[in-house]
Amino acid sequence: MPDPGARRGRPGYDQATVLRRAIELFNTQGYDATSVGDLARDLGLTKSAIYHHVPSKQALLSAALDEALDGLGAALDRAVAATGTSASERLRTALEQSVLVLAEHLPAVTLLLRVRGNSEVELAALERRRVVDEQLAGLVRAAVAEGALRDDLDPEVVSRLLFGTVNSLVEWYRPGGPLEPQALARTVASLAFDGLRPPQPHPPAPEA
Amino acid sequence: MPDPGARRGRPGYDQATVLRRAIELFNTQGYDATSVGDLARDLGLTKSAIYHHVPSKQALLSAALDEALDGLGAALDRAVAATGTSASERLRTALEQSVLVLAEHLPAVTLLLRVRGNSEVELAALERRRVVDEQLAGLVRAAVAEGALRDDLDPEVVSRLLFGTVNSLVEWYRPGGPLEPQALARTVASLAFDGLRPPQPHPPAPEA
């Protein structure tokens, strides 16, 4: 977990718990509408007890966004660095890993996807997100260039649609249900690469 | 345009303009954080002049959500009613039409997708959205049943991923740019049905 500030502690609650509850509140009632007092009441602590754990509300936001971006960034870095494989396989890995990060860090990723750049912390997060998006777009371009992907679709549009599909999972996917993250990741990748049509056992006859 | 209340008017501004600006403000600063006073200032009107156009802020929200839902609902109704075609073709039509509605009513659809059920108006909109989602899921199931779609993927998950992909367009698509709505709609449908792989001219040899 990223460190949301100075190392402080208090028996009964640790920084991780405070961060988890803060992310939940930011997601349900909005970052601006959530005060440190709200967080203290939610946890049954005093405001000064909260400040034993974290220096500021903004530090909690920063730690939450870092959690999401560290995960997504590492997933893309690993995929891009797997140079022994084809760009198409790296793209598939990047997609699957992004889904797994989203499932594992769902509240933090949900918060990240709502960030609009209203502060320096948010602007820095948007910039990191742009780098991750660009890594995915690079993988799409490389896979098209190696002939493994259709070349009739704009790679920029394709990469936006792919990340859009992954990001839309925050709207409905809830870990702990019957759909395992690994199975979801494979479904997303399979749909992206193979589409909805069943495999065609026989190709159409060649044109005369 | 849905009528946001009683028929009232004032020279210089019509209800449609007031609704357009209200949707923009709701999207940029949030519905709760936007007052009728903000809207009046934005339009250079007095609050009472606004109330000549619309009875309440909630009526504007309701009209905005109806605009999005009327469009999406009509698109799905038309697709479902096209019984002379295969379920697979109806699904493709539904997808393409949803993209076109989203492009034509982008601010209203953006607002709809942010609704969380915080009032009766929002709960009613969520219920209408659920009906539209269920129509799409029904088309997916019918297309799987007729053998036109792969049967190794859960139709519920597939329909969520499809609408997730369409809905994610509000995050980046801006009409008026080089990417025409029709081309975007075809790309979304083509990616969904055919995936990223290039067409295979020769199938793998049958297993011995």
Side-chain angles (χ1 to χ4, degrees):
Chain A
M1 195 203 82
D3 182 359
R7 238 169 239 293
R8 302 169 189 184
R10 186 171 180 278
Y13 285 105
D14 55 17
Q15 282 187 346
T17 303
V18 173
L19 180 59
R20 293 272 77 72
R21 287 307 305 158
I23 294 174
E24 292 295 335
L25 288 178
F26 295 163
N27 279 334
T28 49
Q29 60 190 51
Y31 175 74
D32 289 336
T34 303
S35 68
V36 172
D38 293 337
L39 179 60
R41 265 189 303 282
D42 184 86
L43 287 163
L45 297 175
T46 61
K47 274 174 68 170
S48 68
I50 295 286
Y51 286 119
H52 276 279
H53 291 288
V54 290
S56 66
K57 184 173 96 159
Q58 180 152 291
L60 287 165
L61 177 65
S62 183
L65 299 177
D66 280 346
E67 177 189 323
L69 285 160
D70 288 350
L72 291 169
L76 265 291
D77 285 345
R78 277 197 306 273
V80 167
T83 47
T85 60
S86 67
S88 167
E89 286 169 67
R90 278 178 274 151
L91 175 60
R92 182 183 279 265
T93 300
L95 269 184
E96 292 189 355
Q97 293 295 317
S98 297
V99 173
L100 294 177
V101 169
L102 179 140
E104 187 177 347
H105 301 278
L106 190 64
V109 174
T110 302
L111 189 63
L112 173 66
L113 296 177
R114 294 183 185 166
V115 156
R116 291 288 173 268
N118 297 332
S119 65
E120 283 194 28
V121 166
E122 292 197 6
L123 287 171
L126 287 182
E127 175 57 22
R128 285 189 70 187
R129 215 186 130 186
R130 201 193 56 71
V131 171
V132 171
D133 288 350
E134 180 48 38
Q135 284 183 299
L136 188 79
L139 284 176
V140 172
R141 284 191 298 268
V144 171
E146 76 184 13
L149 298 192
R150 293 162 59 183
D151 58 5
D152 62 328
L153 302 178
D154 179 344
E156 302 303 317
V157 174
V158 166
S159 66
R160 283 175 184 276
L161 290 174
L162 292 179
F163 249 156
T165 305
V166 172
N167 292 342
S168 74
L169 298 176
V170 302
E171 299 296 330
W172 63 271
Y173 182 66
R174 297 296 172 264
L179 183 57
E180 295 286 342
Q182 290 282 359
L184 178 64
R186 282 193 302 271
T187 297
V188 169
S190 172
L191 202 55
F193 278 83
D194 302 320
L196 287 169
R197 279 190 213 284
Q200 301 299 315
H202 302 293
E207 286 176 23
Chain B
M1 192 204 82
D3 181 359
R7 237 170 238 292
R8 303 168 188 186
R10 185 171 180 280
Y13 284 104
D14 55 18
Q15 283 185 346
T17 304
V18 173
L19 180 59
R20 292 272 78 72
R21 286 307 305 158
I23 294 174
E24 292 293 336
L25 287 177
F26 295 163
N27 279 334
T28 50
Q29 62 190 48
Y31 175 74
D32 289 336
T34 303
S35 67
V36 173
D38 293 337
L39 179 59
R41 264 190 302 282
D42 184 87
L43 287 164
L45 298 174
T46 62
K47 273 173 70 171
S48 68
I50 296 286
Y51 285 119
H52 276 280
H53 290 288
V54 289
S56 66
K57 185 174 96 160
Q58 181 154 289
L60 286 166
L61 177 64
S62 183
L65 299 177
D66 280 346
E67 177 187 322
L69 286 159
D70 289 349
L72 291 170
L76 265 291
D77 285 344
R78 276 196 307 274
V80 168
T83 47
T85 61
S86 67
S88 165
E89 284 169 67
R90 278 177 275 150
L91 176 61
R92 182 184 278 264
T93 300
L95 269 185
E96 292 189 355
Q97 292 296 317
S98 297
V99 172
L100 295 178
V101 169
L102 180 141
E104 188 177 346
H105 301 277
L106 189 64
V109 175
T110 302
L111 188 63
L112 173 66
L113 296 177
R114 293 183 185 166
V115 156
R116 291 288 173 269
N118 296 333
S119 65
E120 283 193 28
V121 165
E122 292 196 5
L123 287 170
L126 287 182
E127 175 56 23
R128 286 189 70 187
R129 214 186 131 185
R130 201 192 56 71
V131 171
V132 171
D133 288 351
E134 180 48 38
Q135 284 182 298
L136 188 77
L139 284 176
V140 172
R141 285 192 297 267
V144 171
E146 75 183 14
L149 298 191
R150 292 162 58 181
D151 58 5
D152 63 328
L153 302 178
D154 179 345
E156 302 304 316
V157 174
V158 165
S159 65
R160 284 175 184 276
L161 290 174
L162 291 179
F163 249 157
T165 306
V166 172
N167 292 343
S168 73
L169 299 177
V170 302
E171 299 295 331
W172 64 271
Y173 182 65
R174 296 295 172 264
L179 183 56
E180 296 286 342
Q182 290 281 0
L184 178 64
R186 282 193 303 270
T187 297
V188 169
S190 173
L191 202 55
F193 278 83
D194 303 319
L196 287 168
R197 278 190 216 283
Q200 301 297 317
H202 303 292
E207 284 176 24

